Amino acid sequence: MVLHEVLLVPTSVLLLLLLSAAWSTWLERRLLAVWQDRLGPNRVGPWGLLQVVADMIKIFTKEDWVPPFADKALFVIAPMILMIMTLLGFAIIPFSPDIQIANFDNALLFILALSSLSVYSIMLAGFSSNSKYALLGAMRTAAQMLSYEVFMGLALMGVVIITGSFSLNDIVAAQENYWFILSQPLGFVLFLIAGVAESHRAPFDLPEAETEIVAGFHTEYSSMKFGMFFIGEYLGVIFVSALITTLYFGGWQGPVLPPIIWFLLKTGFFVVFFILLRAAIPRPRYDQLMRLGWAVLLPLTLLNLLLTALWQLTLGF
């Protein structure tokens, strides 16, 4: 196989993901406008579609300023880590039987490892900025993401128990007769909540809370470095939506339509859900967020594991 054929799939997936993340900003504005009975972007291009292009031009032409009181090296590296970790996660997602960049047996462990490394990006951004608002955002992020990673990992263990594999391809194949949303409804809800917290989207956007700490960990960022955090958040939403589709909704499986279309439709549904969730639920206090995790989600994830294990043992006998 020649080099250009080897690079075709990764390059195509990368371009599609970056374009999807960019146009998700337009989708969010339009959906929130409909939800709130207003117009949203409608001036630049048909239906405001070129508003994204205008935003890109603006963000590229802004002054790329590094505060003199910041640690310059860490300040520059932090947004790169977030983008790299998020994009690496898509490498193991099976978009269809024929479209997948990498396939290996411990894919779920790889995803959890990337999720843990993503925390460093935001922590470095907050600490290197040498700003009290950025520091508060970084501290909130560290506690929130590390806590909800525990519940996310425990929630998807129910799927692992049923399939006996950490491979995403095996998990999709195991859903040929029924989707795991039917056998793991509690695990799905817990994973969804943890996914919202991990991507620090509203209502769990406390690391960025504009009304409390200005913008949190990226307060001091500007130009393309801010843009990398901004696009990284939308990539995170798409990634969590793709994982939910793969783990609980049969992945690319479905009748009549091509597999890639089914995957995109299911993932798109959850991206829209993430967006509308922002307009529907108020932001909790930080102590309420942490109490929800440790006092409610942790017991429920352990209960889900116990019930799943008992069910599998019963079937085995």
Side-chain angles (χ1 to χ4, degrees):
M1 188 178 293
V2 294
L3 181 61
H4 71 87
E5 292 178 340
V6 174
L7 296 177
L8 180 61
V9 172
T11 305
S12 302
V13 170
L14 177 62
L15 290 175
L16 179 62
L17 287 172
L18 292 176
L19 289 173
S20 299
W23 257 273
S24 293
T25 64
W26 172 86
L27 178 64
E28 178 166 32
R29 296 180 198 178
R30 291 292 289 187
L31 285 176
L32 293 180
V34 171
W35 194 268
Q36 297 164 355
D37 196 21
R38 53 187 177 84
L39 294 177
N42 63 350
R43 298 291 182 181
V44 188
W47 304 290
L49 279 168
L50 296 181
Q51 182 66 50
V52 177
V53 179
D55 289 341
M56 290 172 64
I57 294 172
K58 179 181 72 173
I59 208 164
F60 274 114
T61 53
K62 277 183 174 289
E63 181 183 2
D64 189 11
W65 184 69
V66 178
F69 46 79
D71 185 319
K72 185 173 181 179
L74 295 179
F75 189 84
V76 172
I77 290 171
M80 300 180 188
I81 296 175
L82 179 65
M83 288 289 290
I84 292 170
M85 293 302 107
T86 307
L87 290 172
L88 274 176
F90 285 100
I92 57 174
I93 297 290
F95 299 98
S96 77
D98 305 316
I99 303 177
Q100 186 180 17
I101 298 173
N103 174 27
F104 55 94
D105 294 337
N106 296 317
L108 284 180
L109 296 179
F110 180 71
I111 288 170
L112 293 175
L114 290 179
S115 176
S116 299
L117 290 173
S118 298
V119 180
Y120 286 97
S121 168
I122 298 172
M123 289 178 62
L124 289 175
F127 282 97
S128 66
S129 295
N130 199 17
S131 162
K132 59 183 179 182
Y133 295 115
L135 179 61
L136 284 171
M139 292 175 67
R140 285 184 174 188
T141 302
Q144 177 176 319
M145 293 185 72
L146 290 174
S147 298
Y148 278 81
E149 277 173 21
V150 175
F151 318 132
M152 175 180 280
L154 289 174
L156 58 82
M157 283 301 109
V159 171
V160 174
I161 290 173
I162 294 174
T163 58
S165 173
F166 285 96
S167 168
L168 294 181
N169 289 282
D170 291 345
I171 290 171
V172 172
Q175 298 178 73
E176 183 177 2
N177 297 321
Y178 68 94
W179 294 350
F180 286 155
I181 181 61
L182 299 177
S183 59
Q184 286 287 298
L186 180 57
F188 160 69
V189 172
L190 295 170
F191 186 86
L192 178 64
I193 295 172
V196 175
E198 279 290 292
S199 55
H200 41 88
R201 288 281 302 178
F204 296 157
D205 58 339
L206 290 155
E208 306 171 17
E210 293 89 351
T211 53
E212 303 166 33
I213 50 176
V214 187
F217 61 90
H218 55 56
T219 299
E220 304 297 336
Y221 280 85
S222 62
S223 188
M224 198 53 212
K225 289 194 288 293
F226 171 80
M228 292 173 77
F229 278 122
F230 190 64
I231 296 301
E233 179 179 312
Y234 285 94
L235 282 173
V237 169
I238 296 171
F239 181 61
V240 173
S241 301
L243 269 182
I244 291 172
T245 297
T246 303
L247 295 172
Y248 297 101
F249 287 84
W252 43 260
Q253 299 196 62
V256 183
L257 298 176
I260 185 63
I261 300 299
W262 273 115
F263 186 89
L264 293 176
L265 286 174
K266 294 173 187 178
T267 303
F269 172 83
F270 285 105
V271 170
V272 170
F273 175 81
F274 270 78
I275 291 172
L276 294 182
L277 192 66
R278 174 179 179 178
I281 300 178
R283 179 190 295 143
R285 294 197 315 266
Y286 191 71
D287 63 302
Q288 293 173 331
L289 173 69
M290 299 305 290
R291 188 181 303 115
L292 171 68
W294 292 106
V296 179
L297 296 188
L298 181 59
L300 287 177
T301 52
L302 295 176
L303 176 64
N304 182 63
L305 277 177
L306 178 63
L307 294 177
T308 305
L310 288 174
W311 176 253
Q312 289 298 108
L313 284 173
T314 303
L315 289 179
F317 288 116

